[in-house]
Amino acid sequence: SRAAPITREAVLKVAAALFLSQGYERTTLAQIANALHISAPSLYWHFESKEDVFYEFLRSEWSAFLDDVEAAAQSGTPTERLHAMAVAHVRHGLERRVESRAFTYHYAQLSYLLSVELRAELQELNQRFVRFCRAIIEDGIRSAEFVVPHLVATAFAIINACEHVIGWFDEDGSLSIDEVAELHGEYALRIVGVDLAVRPAVARF
């Protein structure tokens, strides 16, 4: 019987694991194909080059992340939206740890691994998320729900705190993914000055 056809998603998942374990430059298309039990030429049905695989991996990770975070934080008060954004950010990263770690560790390599055009497309996705986070904080300032000393610094403090969870999270540790995500939702609110003692109760672990 014939094997099931290989999808672009399957190629990207394997590529992410190899990028993470041995780095982009030491990963070859032949290794990706071997891990999928197909011939290297078969990959050309999906991707033109290793750079194409790398770009599509980064683009698809950005898109999946933005879909999750924006859907979670589209409605509600600024307090509710900021909490939901931080929770969704952390949960996405921890539920896709291999892909998220590979993405985080390799995104900085854009400056010399990808063309100017491809780099600009990915940087626009980055800026889209920053704008989304800033807009929530700005809404909270206008509604007097948030008090922050500096808008941009506050936005990046929240983003960086959520992003770096994948670096220390231990799946065998005492906290679950949901617990860590909820904690970071609360941390985000503390950063913008929300009094959690008077905030309506949310689901707790």
Side-chain angles (χ1 to χ4, degrees):
S1 61
R2 291 185 178 181
I6 298 299
T7 64
R8 288 174 66 88
E9 291 73 20
V11 174
L12 294 176
K13 189 174 184 66
V14 166
L18 289 172
F19 292 158
L20 180 60
S21 65
Q22 61 189 32
Y24 170 82
E25 292 181 332
R26 290 192 296 274
T27 298
T28 66
L29 286 179
Q31 289 172 332
I32 295 172
N34 185 60
L36 291 164
H37 306 292
I38 61 175
S39 64
S42 297
L43 286 179
Y44 291 105
W45 285 101
H46 302 289
F47 300 99
E48 296 179 358
S49 64
K50 189 173 73 165
E51 180 190 61
D52 189 26
V53 174
F54 185 60
Y55 164 75
E56 184 58 27
F57 163 66
L58 294 175
R59 188 206 62 78
S60 65
E61 283 302 304
W62 259 127
S63 296
F65 169 75
L66 287 168
D67 286 346
D68 283 353
V69 171
E70 291 175 347
Q74 278 294 340
S75 61
T77 66
T79 296
E80 292 167 340
R81 292 169 62 208
L82 184 64
H83 178 271
M85 187 203 75
V87 169
H89 187 158
V90 173
R91 182 175 288 129
H92 177 93
L94 295 184
E95 288 178 346
R96 298 168 59 88
R97 287 191 293 282
V98 170
E99 293 88 347
S100 295
R101 285 171 176 162
F103 175 90
T104 300
Y105 297 158
H106 289 88
Y107 187 69
Q109 298 185 45
L110 286 172
S111 61
Y112 68 92
L113 290 178
L114 296 177
S115 68
V116 172
E117 292 79 10
L118 295 181
R119 186 161 67 247
E121 291 178 20
L122 293 173
Q123 289 171 341
E124 171 54 29
L125 294 175
N126 183 7
Q127 289 304 308
R128 175 176 146 190
F129 175 54
V130 174
R131 290 194 298 269
F132 184 72
C133 181
R134 286 183 56 173
I136 295 174
I137 298 172
E138 288 175 328
D139 287 347
I141 295 171
R142 281 193 292 268
S143 66
E145 293 174 53
F146 303 161
V147 177
V148 303
H150 192 279
L151 173 62
V152 175
T154 300
F156 280 109
I158 293 169
I159 290 169
N160 289 339
C162 294
E163 177 181 321
H164 289 289
V165 173
I166 60 171
W168 60 259
F169 178 76
D170 181 359
E171 60 186 305
D172 297 321
S174 61
L175 293 173
S176 69
I177 289 175
D178 286 342
E179 290 168 345
V180 172
E182 176 60 31
L183 282 172
H184 280 74
E186 294 188 1
Y187 296 156
L189 297 185
R190 292 181 187 276
I191 289 173
V192 296
V194 173
D195 185 351
L196 297 181
V198 300
R199 180 172 179 261
V202 296
R204 291 288 295 174
F205 43 88

